[in-house]
Amino acid sequence: MFFQQVADGGCQSYVIGCAESCAAAIIDPALGQIDRYVGIANREGLRVRYIIETHTHADHFSAARQLAERMGATVVMHRNSPAPHVAMRVDDGHLIAVGALRLKVMHTPGHTRDSMCLHVDDRVFTGDTLLIGGTGRTDLPTGDPAELHRSLFARLLLLDRETLVFPAHDYKGRTHSSIGTEIDGNPRLQVRDEAAFIEMMRGLNLSAPTHLTEALRTNMSGGKTVRQLLAEAALGVPFVSLEGLAGRLEGKRNDFVILDVRERDAYARGHIPGALHLARGQLELKVDETFPDPNLEILTVCELGKISTLAAATLRELGFGRAVALDGGMKSWREGGFPMETGEDPALLI
């Protein structure tokens, strides 16, 4: 069996393959590691057949859809998963054939309705059902502490004590544990009574994961993250440096326009001298009447350089092929001590 663990912060994902057939699967892939998974597969001569998610993640962005498209693989999740891009939905007891390997599905709801573990040979991939020294939380959408109790004590913990445990997360640098180690030392597993376990889980008072709603949206729908949109926009947009723009202003060049795409109150509090104002939300509706010449160089500006990148990309899609964005945004412009104007000039408002 080929096996490699890939860490992305506290997220743990796995590449597992059959040495005989070179077929492989990737379990719980993280969006930031796509090139790494592809590199591992190429280096080892593996053909990735399946991208398997143990559950709908709420604390990181899944790479399942992107990897499936890039590698010609099938996305696999439990049948309760809401994600529309799942091509093969499985249920408790099903086997996923990866060459000669057989990954047995164990439906283990509790952390989420669609949580499942994957048992193969001497190891089990536990997702967020069982963590090293802990368990998955049950206070997020579709979580249920009573179901988690049953999944743990009536299913997962009945595996052989020597079975290796590979979870979807660990924030302390640990790579794996075992069923026996967790039974003996995991604090949450010492509370075996169901009512007491439920009370303990409901009283954890955990903070919400970063990017909770965005992660759920993208992982459930197969949509794009804001980071992806920005990265895609940046691929097709040139940038102008702060110093470069300052030099243009000092030279009183009039062969371009500066377009501030922030909200009107932010523009009034301080903007680059001579900058026109058109809020990003009005861009598509007003750009044609404002800039009839598609050959005009339009330099977009926002607070941090993100919205202006999207604006410049939109302008290019609309036919303004010379649209560019300021690298750094108004925050960097202010901190650099570059010239500013305040207030509103009606002639500069679009």
Side-chain angles (χ1 to χ4, degrees):
M1 180 200 309
F2 172 81
F3 174 78
Q4 184 166 339
Q5 187 169 13
V6 177
D8 183 56
C11 300
Q12 305 294 327
S13 55
Y14 306 91
V15 182
I16 183 170
C18 169
E20 298 175 15
S21 66
C22 294
I26 302 175
I27 301 171
D28 288 331
L31 188 60
Q33 299 293 328
I34 288 179
D35 288 339
R36 189 171 179 187
Y37 302 125
V38 173
I40 292 170
N42 290 341
R43 183 194 69 207
E44 301 297 329
L46 299 172
R47 174 65 187 274
V48 176
R49 300 292 187 184
Y50 298 108
I51 311 296
I52 309 173
E53 293 281 24
T54 57
H55 63 290
T56 299
H57 300 283
D59 49 1
H60 75 271
F61 301 113
S62 165
R65 181 178 60 82
Q66 292 83 355
L67 279 174
E69 293 174 356
R70 185 164 173 176
M71 308 180 89
T74 297
V75 177
V76 182
M77 292 188 74
H78 187 266
R79 63 179 177 84
N80 287 339
S81 168
H85 54 277
V86 177
M88 188 169 86
R89 298 179 182 273
V90 294
D91 211 336
D92 187 65
H94 287 178
L95 298 176
I96 303 171
V98 182
L101 299 176
R102 296 294 183 267
L103 281 64
K104 184 176 182 179
V105 174
M106 301 176 66
H107 184 211
T108 53
H111 176 60
T112 62
R113 281 183 69 236
D114 61 351
S115 287
M116 65 181 188
C117 298
L118 301 166
H119 185 206
V120 54
D121 294 347
D122 63 344
R123 62 200 62 199
V124 60
F125 300 95
T126 58
D128 279 10
T129 299
L130 177 62
L131 306 176
I132 300 175
T135 66
R137 60 196 297 170
T138 57
D139 59 334
L140 298 180
T142 75
D144 187 318
E147 285 193 331
L148 180 62
H149 183 272
R150 288 191 290 274
S151 293
L152 289 168
F153 292 102
R155 297 295 311 281
L156 190 56
L157 299 180
L158 299 183
L159 293 175
D160 189 280
R161 287 178 56 88
E162 302 304 314
T163 304
L164 300 177
V165 171
F166 291 94
H169 295 92
D170 188 83
Y171 296 93
K172 297 183 179 180
R174 298 167 295 191
T175 59
H176 66 282
S177 182
S178 70
I179 291 294
T181 299
E182 295 307 308
I183 290 174
D184 295 340
N186 188 319
R188 292 189 191 175
L189 301 185
Q190 308 314 304
V191 185
R192 301 186 64 88
D193 177 75
E194 181 176 352
F197 183 87
I198 293 171
E199 183 179 4
M200 173 187 68
M201 296 302 296
R202 287 177 175 168
L204 292 177
N205 194 28
L206 301 172
S207 59
T210 305
H211 307 302
L212 168 65
T213 54
E214 186 184 11
L216 286 174
R217 173 183 61 79
T218 58
N219 294 339
M220 291 172 67
S221 68
K224 294 181 179 181
T225 67
V226 173
R227 185 175 179 181
Q228 282 177 283
L229 290 174
L230 286 169
E232 291 174 3
L235 285 174
V237 173
F239 294 87
V240 172
S241 69
L242 301 173
E243 294 77 12
L245 177 56
R248 290 188 182 194
L249 293 176
E250 188 175 349
K252 301 186 183 301
R253 287 177 52 179
N254 62 358
D255 57 346
F256 74 106
V257 296
I258 303 169
L259 186 63
D260 193 316
V261 296
R262 296 175 297 164
E263 294 302 316
R264 187 168 175 174
D265 58 344
Y267 170 83
R269 286 196 297 270
H271 54 267
I272 295 169
L276 302 177
H277 175 259
L278 176 58
R280 172 65 186 86
Q282 297 292 310
L283 186 62
E284 290 88 344
L285 299 177
K286 294 186 176 182
V287 68
D288 287 323
E289 63 186 69
T290 306
F291 304 116
D293 181 5
N295 295 312
L296 179 68
E297 183 181 12
I298 304 174
L299 192 157
T300 59
V301 178
C302 70
E303 184 63 20
L304 299 175
K306 296 180 179 180
I307 302 302
S308 58
T309 301
L310 294 172
T314 297
L315 287 170
R316 285 182 166 247
E317 290 174 0
L318 291 172
F320 294 87
R322 297 182 64 206
V324 295
L326 182 64
D327 188 17
M330 285 303 301
K331 182 175 186 295
S332 297
W333 184 267
R334 288 193 302 271
E335 292 174 350
F338 295 104
M340 299 272 294
E341 287 181 350
T342 58
E344 298 179 350
D345 182 342
L348 299 177
L349 299 177
I350 300 171

